[in-house]
Every structure is written in structure tokens, then in C-alpha cells.
Amino acid sequence: MDLINSAEILIIDDQALAQNFLKKSLESLGYKHIKIAESAKHALQLCQEQNFSIILCSFNLSRDRDGFHLFEEMKVKGYIRPTTTFIFVSAETSPALVNSVVELQPDDFLVKPFTAKELKIRLERVLSRKDKLKSVYRAIESKKYNKAIQLIDNHLENPKLAKLAPFLVRIKGDTLLAMEAYEEAERYYHSILEKYRFAWAQVGLVKALLALDKNETAEAILTRLVERPESRLAALDLLGQFHLHNDDFEKAYADFNQAAELSPRNIDRHKNVLNLARLIHDHNAQFETAKNIAKYGKRSIHDSPDLYLTVARAGVDYALTLSEEESAPILRQSEKYIEEIKKEFPNAKLAKEKINVTKARIHYLKNEQAQAQQLIQSALYGNSQSQNIEDDIDKAKAFHELGHKDAALELLENIGETNFGNEVSQKVMEQYLKQEAQERRDIPFSPRELNNMAVGFYSKNQLEPAIQTFSDALRLMPKNVRIALNFLQVLVDQKKRQGLKAHHQPMFDKCMILLSTEKMDDKQQRRFEILRSKANNEGSEFDTINEKI
């Protein structure tokens, strides 16, 4: 009864009927101290004023941000602690929502409609557990992990707490990982798995194994876990980290991208996908992911003018790989996102220079060179590092595209050590910066320029310069079907006339593998089949290259 009398409850729901039902149900159960927030913004204001021991929150808030991002922000700001009871409420049970809830790990999830009796049973169950284990939760909250482990072990020996054993054994594993006692965690999870096949214990074991560099064993377990619905999301994240550790960036991208599709509200994971996409030169995926970040991050703790600028920059990167006709709608989208900054953040003090740099890149792609050079001048002559590494990267790209190659390389090479926030971002961004500097040093042209130059060489019957230029273009755009088809045509022609030289064969193989695996439209597929037949000394003559980008 004391738990009921002392409970401070916050109901967060934007529907009046739901608010009234929850309030009356709680009052009928004896709860007295109840406050209602009709929006996420209101809930945050109330949490600033007082601490709540119980929070009942609708997942599908619509006025500003949804329950996922509200939970995320409340946790960052310390409004949700291990001792707080947090329960999500929703009528929706879509896989994406369920995955999001599983990922956040609230204390419970109530599916509408439910009765006052069901609410009573769920609340009593959670509150009883929280009360009996409050000493453990408080120790974890204050990061006194050794004390928490000791308390957990004592509780596990107490027969009166036998029903709480499933919670205690899981909390112990999480605590061992939090204190980085990986060898002890490995032994602990093995002891659990000798008796039970809990998915969470297998996930915990993999985390310990990866931390101990026991990668083969970890991979074998992950291969099984990724097939199980209840562990698929966590397994994909860990597989992504595993492949990243082994420098297999393509597979890491595929893993994180699948995880992002399962739980699309997680902004940090989308950022991993975006950074990996640009590292592997998949600029279409980079652009789409940037749009997802802006979409799901809107009005969340992640929302900022830079979120919209990231989309505009990704659009420019993507447009550089397309023909002038294809790039036009992409550039319009980039311009739209720049305009959105003014609309969504009218009072934001966003540096004009960083917006002008992106606008200069857009003018460059639209063949408006005078406007591009005019916008870039202040950035060029005030060439110094900014506080934001993404601003420096975009500036270096603009310098390079507009002919200021030395300034671009100087800026990229002077970017010092930076903390990117987490292990995944750190590894990917360090690799990306090295790659970007090396490619700008080796190749002074954009993919569009390289392809068009190579087409020009081929039309003049200069096969070797065409081959080298197409090789550079494919290095920058390793998944571009149009470039690969043009390149293959030159190589097939070279084979017909003089035979392929030793250094040509890997290029030929690369084009064949790419075109055999990537999606193509009907026209491109027919062209590939003709080229493949010609390479095998079959079929008839084919047209010369005419696909400029």
C-alpha cells in the first residue's frame, strides 16, 4: 500500500479519452498523485519540475515527437532511472514498433484496449520487482557495479526472491559487461547456457567474446541468432561490429542497414549506415539514409539544422554520379532541404559559409561556374578548420570540384584526431577520411567528368587512356552500372583488337562480377548480354559507347 500512496505518476498521451481512462483506472486502484501531459514537450517540462516514479506513455504521440524519441531524451536527461517504472501503451503492434520497444527495454508494454484489472496486474508486478530490487538498481545507477554484483548474488540465494531469478541473472550479465569484466562475463554466460538457451544470454556471450577477440566463436553464434526473430535485431548490430572489426565494410553496411529497416527510429544506427554507405561509395543509399535521419529525427533530441544540411550534402554527392538530366531532381531536393533549415529553425545561428559551400557545389553541378566560384571565395581565402568535421569535408569537396585541388588536400590532411562518439563511428570515419584524402590526391576529377573523358578517349580510338580513366571512375563509383558497362565495352574492344594485357584482366573480372550482381534496367541488361557474348567471341558487332553521365 505504501508503494501506491507514495507513487508519483505521469500519464503521457495526446488523446483525451485515453488520458481519462488511465487516470480513472489508477484512481480506482488507490493512486492519488497523478499528472497528465498531452505532448512530449509538456512531459519534459513536468519532468524538469519533479521526479516521477511511474510513467505511462503512449508510443504513438503525434504532436511533436513519438514515444521512442521521448523515451530516448528522458533517459539522456536523467528523467528515467533504473528505479523508475516506465510502461509504453499502444494499440499498434507492427514489427517496427515492437522492435523499437524491445530495443528501448521499458519495464512493460501494454497493448490497447486493456482493462483496469490488467493495468493493476502489470503495475503491481513491476512495482513489486522494482521495490525488492531497488538496492541493486541504485547501485547500478551510481555505477557501483561490484556492489550490484554482490547484492544480486545475495538475492539469488534468497528463496523468497526465487520468482525474480530470471531478472536477476540477466541484470548480473549486463552488469558484468558494463564493468568490462569480459572474461568473467564469458564464464557466467556459458554457465547460464548450460541450463537454458536464452537468446539474451547468447547475445551477452557474443558481446563478451567480441571484446576478448574470440571472433570465430562469436561469428558462429551470431549466424544462428540472426535467424531467430527475438534476437535478429541485436545479432545484426553485433554482426555489423564483427565485420567492421575485420575491415569488411560492405558486409558491415548490409548488417546495419538490415537492422535499421527492422527498427527505423534509431538515429544513431542510421548514422552508422550513412557513414558506411559513403565509405563504400553507395551514394544513392547515403542520400536515402540521410533523408530517413531527417524524417525520424524531426523534433527529437537529434533534430538540428545540420541534419537537413546533411541531406543536402548527400544529395550533391549522389548527383555527382548521375547524368545532368538525372541529377536535376536530386539537386532540387538538396535545395529544398536547405530552404527547410530556414523554415524549421528560423532563429538558428547557422554559419552562412557552410550553407554557401553546399550551394556552391550545387551551382557547380548545374554548370553555373561563376555563381559557384563567387560563393566559395570566402571559404577559400579564410581556409581554416571549423568546429565541425563534416563542414570541413564538404568544404574540401567543394574546393576539389571547383579546381582548388591543393586547398582541398591541405584541408583534408590537416583534419586531426577527432572523437566521433562511438566505436563504430570512430572506425568508419577514420577510414573514410583516409580514403577521401587518398582519392582526391590520386584522382583530380569527379565520376561524371571521368566517365565523359573516357568516352571521349574511346571515340578517338585511344583505348589505353580510356581504360585508365574508366578504372579511376569505377574506383570512385564501384557500384555504378553505367560506368561498368562503358568500361566493359572498352575492355571487350581491347580484347578483340589486341587481347587483354595482364593488368586489364582484374578490371575485366571486376566489371563482369558487378554487372552480374547489380540490378539493371532492360536496356542495360540487353547491352550486358551483347558484351558478354562478344567477350566470348559470340554474337555480332555492337554500337560504340554513347552513354555520358
Side-chain angles (χ1 to χ4, degrees), residues 8 21 34 86 119 140 297 362 375 398 411 424 432 453 482:
E8 297 284 348
F21 170 76
I34 304 168
F86 190 101
L119 177 62
I140 292 171
I362 292 172
L375 285 172
L411 188 55
V424 173
Y432 176 69
M453 287 165 58
R482 184 184 286 104

Side-chain angles (χ1 to χ4, degrees), residues 404-419:
H404 309 288
K405 318 293 184 186
D406 292 340
L409 286 172
E410 182 182 354
L411 188 55
L412 284 171
E413 290 169 353
N414 286 336
I415 293 176
E417 292 185 7
T418 305
N419 182 358

Side-chain angles (χ1 to χ4, degrees), residues 294-317:
K295 172 185 173 183
Y296 290 110
K298 194 169 186 177
R299 299 190 180 92
S300 76
I301 197 171
H302 304 277
D303 204 3
S304 72
D306 282 326
L307 222 59
Y308 294 78
L309 196 56
T310 296
V311 187
R313 289 167 171 171
V316 175
D317 288 347

